[in-house]
Amino acid sequence: MTLIQKYNTAAPRYTSYPTVPYWDESTFDATRWKQSLQESFKATNSTEGISIYIHLPYCEKLCTYCGCNKHITINHGVEKPYMDAILREWGLYIKLFEKRPRIREIHLGGGTPTFFSADNLAQLIIGIYEHADLISDASLSFEGHPNNTTVAHMQTLYNLGFRRMSLGIQDFDPKVQDIINRIQPFETVERVTNEAREIGFTSINYDLVYGLPLQTMTSVQDTINKIINLGPDRISFYSYAHVPWIKGNGQRKYSETDLPKDEEKRALYELGKTMFAENGYTEIGMDHFARPHDSLYRSAQEGTLHRNFMGYTDHHTSLMIGLGASSIGDSWYAYTQNEKTIDRWMERVNNDDFPVVRGHILSTEDLLLRRHIQALMCNFETTWNKADVQCDAIVEGLQRLQELEKDGLVAVKPKKVFVTEKGRPFIRNICMAFDARLWRRQPQSQLFSSAI
């Protein structure tokens, strides 16, 4: 059995610990959560600032590879009521805080944020700014669909301080685009990229996905060659997450027989990794590549890379506020998730009720394990102190690492664990060794996508 076959099991992506399926809702209540928000805000607003994730869930078409929370419609009359509800939700948070928030990060995610008109996006961001101050080096970014991202979108957001744009590319092969229902010609991506640079955007990210149905080594190589010619500042090269059991996703147009498997799928990643390296991109954490001038690269070099529900970020913020249907918030001491359905989320917000549907209060053990899992995900190493190894969960995690160490994936030292070059593709498996909640309650059905 190869290492790929051995470790290609279902595993979390560890944008949090504990992961969402293992949140303990029995210990959660809204009062404790609000107190944790206030505590975190008071401790970090003047130093770190806060992050804001805004979920804009609307799309005009369903991409059949997508497992995100979205709502498909061509009715743009939904924009303003949704935007107004986000600002009302933001107002609920403002009332909790004693001072004006200092914003370190804003990310507009989806769905398709550029489904919203430029004017509505402007009103939304201006409404956020009305009650907050931007830190001078704040990182503001948005996700755009190449087919509907206009000069007006980009210029409007640039004027409001946005400097990073992420375009969902996935693959340029016509057969792949057809089967995932994501038709976007290379020329469209090229045009939007050039327009963004002319406006002044300093960091352009492309999202690519490997392991999609009908992908081959030749097609992925062709896609990456085209990407390299456009020269994005960052590249996210994600493993396709096949999760057809999740309600509402569109992974039905193809079957498992259409997907690259095990070594074949991993070969697609290794091809991309090699091509990126040959063209000046450095691997950052898991799935990300950046050029030396980009802030994500600098953050990785300086040891300040952070990982939260927005993925990898170049600033550490303990407090992340999630606005919009299904958004997740993080006070560092607690997690919350909003109502997933738009109607229910809007109903609660418009009644001045925090639209939280579930949450988790982190225990002392959770906080310890979170720190080590995040260090592994960001820096490929973590260090121990005497108190750490007195924790049963840490001791058990180190025991689970023994098999991975035999396979050459990690090196365990008296006060340190680091991931070897050979082990980097298996970082999700390595972090899983310390996932005490998962090991104590093994899932009866598949909750996560495959690790490789």
Side-chain angles (χ1 to χ4, degrees), residues 102-130:
R102 300 173 66 248
I103 297 175
R104 170 71 71 183
E105 290 178 312
I106 296 177
H107 183 69
L108 306 181
T112 305
T114 47
F115 172 96
F116 285 68
S117 71
D119 287 344
N120 280 336
L121 288 177
Q123 290 182 47
L124 174 62
I125 300 304
I126 290 169
I128 297 291
Y129 290 170
E130 185 178 347

Side-chain angles (χ1 to χ4, degrees), residues 52-297:
I52 302 173
Y53 172 79
I54 303 176
H55 190 67
L56 303 172
Y58 297 107
C59 299
E60 290 191 340
K61 292 183 178 180
L62 176 65
C63 300
T64 56
Y65 69 92
C66 180
C68 298
N69 185 285
K70 68 274 182 186
H71 183 82
I72 309 302
T73 183
I74 58 173
N75 174 22
H76 286 263
V78 300
E79 293 182 35
K80 192 172 188 310
Y82 189 87
M83 177 190 72
D84 290 344
I86 285 179
L87 293 177
R88 190 158 186 151
E89 185 183 8
W90 174 232
L92 297 177
Y93 284 94
I94 295 302
K95 291 176 183 177
L96 283 179
F97 302 142
E98 297 177 354
K99 299 179 180 179
R100 284 173 67 87
R102 300 173 66 248
I103 297 175
R104 170 71 71 183
E105 290 178 312
I106 296 177
H107 183 69
L108 306 181
T112 305
T114 47
F115 172 96
F116 285 68
S117 71
D119 287 344
N120 280 336
L121 288 177
Q123 290 182 47
L124 174 62
I125 300 304
I126 290 169
I128 297 291
Y129 290 170
E130 185 178 347
H131 302 286
D133 300 315
L134 273 183
I135 294 174
S136 59
D137 62 343
S139 177
L140 310 182
S141 58
F142 75 97
E143 298 170 11
H145 192 312
N147 289 350
N148 66 11
T149 299
T150 66
V151 170
H153 282 118
M154 293 183 283
Q155 188 66 63
T156 296
L157 290 171
Y158 181 87
N159 292 346
L160 291 166
F162 285 71
R163 295 294 180 269
R164 184 164 70 84
M165 175 179 70
S166 182
L167 293 177
I169 308 301
Q170 323 321 339
D171 193 288
F172 281 127
D173 186 291
K175 295 191 298 296
V176 176
Q177 289 192 358
D178 176 68
I179 203 168
I180 65 172
N181 201 34
R182 178 85 174 200
I183 308 299
Q184 50 193 29
F186 171 80
E187 292 75 18
T188 300
V189 175
E190 181 180 39
R191 174 182 55 77
V192 174
T193 299
N194 291 338
E195 289 169 347
R197 289 193 171 123
E198 289 171 6
I199 288 169
F201 280 83
T202 55
S203 182
I204 296 175
N205 175 77
Y206 287 169
D207 283 347
L208 305 180
V209 178
Y210 68 94
L212 289 170
L214 305 186
Q215 275 184 332
T216 65
M217 293 287 281
T218 300
S219 69
V220 170
Q221 184 176 35
D222 180 66
T223 290
I224 294 175
N225 278 328
K226 290 176 178 175
I227 293 297
I228 296 300
N229 287 335
L230 295 179
D233 306 280
R234 300 180 187 180
I235 297 171
S236 302
F237 196 36
Y238 294 117
S239 170
Y240 166 65
H242 191 56
V243 287
W245 59 85
I246 293 180
K247 182 181 179 181
N249 79 35
Q251 298 174 354
R252 297 290 190 277
K253 192 175 179 180
Y254 45 86
S255 69
E256 284 77 1
T257 59
D258 297 309
L259 303 175
K261 300 288 194 307
D262 296 337
E263 282 86 355
E264 182 186 4
K265 180 179 179 182
R266 190 63 201 178
L268 298 177
Y269 182 84
E270 294 299 333
L271 171 65
K273 178 180 176 180
T274 299
M275 294 179 71
F276 298 145
E278 290 173 348
N279 288 277
Y281 293 88
T282 297
E283 188 174 19
I284 308 293
M286 180 180 74
D287 303 333
H288 288 65
F289 299 82
R291 286 180 158 175
H293 65 267
D294 191 84
S295 61
L296 199 68
Y297 173 92

Side-chain angles (χ1 to χ4, degrees), residues 364-398:
T364 301
E365 181 190 85
D366 290 338
L367 289 166
L368 175 62
L369 294 174
R370 177 185 190 175
R371 176 166 60 85
H372 288 300
I373 287 173
Q374 183 161 107
L376 288 166
M377 291 297 296
C378 293
N379 306 317
F380 293 114
E381 63 178 50
T382 191
T383 56
W384 316 106
N385 58 41
K386 188 177 293 185
D388 290 351
V389 293
Q390 292 175 349
C391 172
D392 289 344
I394 295 294
V395 174
E396 292 165 2
L398 289 170

Side-chain angles (χ1 to χ4, degrees), residues 5 14 41 51 120 127 152 191 252 316 326 380 404 425 432 450:
Q5 292 170 328
Y14 292 110
F41 181 82
S51 293
N120 280 336
R191 174 182 55 77
R252 297 290 190 277
H316 178 280
S326 80
F380 293 114
L404 291 97
M432 193 163 62
S450 297

